[in-house]
Amino acid sequence: LSLYSSPARETKYVENPQTQLEEGVSRLRHVMEPYTAWCQVQWFYVTSAFYSDFFSEGFEFLQNPPAGFYPRLGVIGIAGIVGLFLARGSKIKKLVYPVGLMGIGASMYYPQQTVSIAKVAGTHLYDWSLQGYIAVESLWKDN
């Protein structure tokens, strides 16, 4: 194309005709539009009620924290950052080290909660291992 000449003035934009699939999807969207709009409104009401309570409680907690909360939070956060620096190499280390060190830091400050979480996690782990054992045993017996 020459830089000094203008393009033809008679060009037109022509849309490609819709395929049957596009027409079917378009009809389906128009039929389902009232139902999806209703679902969006309901979802908005449910989530806004939940998050407004959640954030207001969190905001109140941060406005009036218990004594020593921020120093404890700092120690737990620094333990996670140290875990990130120690976790060089595999992606599993990058997940396990920070979480593990933060867990150890949190367990120093909150021992009763740690014990209750460990009990619940232990029961779930036992249940999962038992279900896995039963599944493997049933596969073994079938063959």
Side-chain angles (χ1 to χ4, degrees):
L1 291 174
S2 172
L3 294 176
Y4 302 106
S5 65
S6 62
R9 303 214 187 271
E10 300 171 10
T11 58
K12 288 186 188 178
Y13 174 74
V14 178
E15 263 190 49
N16 291 333
Q18 285 188 339
T19 63
Q20 288 181 344
L21 177 64
E22 290 173 332
E23 288 177 9
V25 169
S26 177
R27 274 185 263 142
L28 180 66
R29 287 182 69 196
H30 286 296
V31 167
M32 295 301 294
E33 189 174 8
Y35 303 110
T36 57
W38 180 82
C39 289
Q40 286 175 344
V41 168
Q42 297 306 316
W43 180 253
F44 173 76
Y45 286 131
V46 168
T47 56
S48 64
F50 171 75
Y51 285 123
S52 66
D53 292 342
F54 179 74
F55 285 122
S56 64
E57 289 175 9
F59 184 73
E60 289 174 17
F61 180 79
L62 292 176
Q63 286 294 322
N64 301 316
F69 174 73
Y70 287 118
R72 292 175 181 179
L73 184 66
V75 168
I76 294 169
I78 289 173
I81 293 171
V82 168
L84 281 175
F85 283 118
L86 293 176
R88 303 230 169 142
S90 73
K91 292 181 181 179
I92 295 174
K93 282 184 183 178
K94 289 181 183 177
L95 178 69
V96 171
Y97 282 17
V99 172
L101 288 176
M102 288 173 67
I104 290 170
S107 68
M108 289 189 318
Y109 289 117
Y110 305 104
Q112 287 126 354
Q113 290 88 346
T114 304
V115 169
S116 64
I117 290 171
K119 285 180 182 178
V120 170
T123 8
H124 285 304
L125 187 62
Y126 176 74
D127 289 341
W128 290 340
S129 64
L130 191 60
Q131 289 173 0
Y133 175 77
I134 291 169
V136 169
E137 185 181 34
S138 66
L139 287 173
W140 189 270
K141 285 183 179 178
D142 289 344
N143 291 334

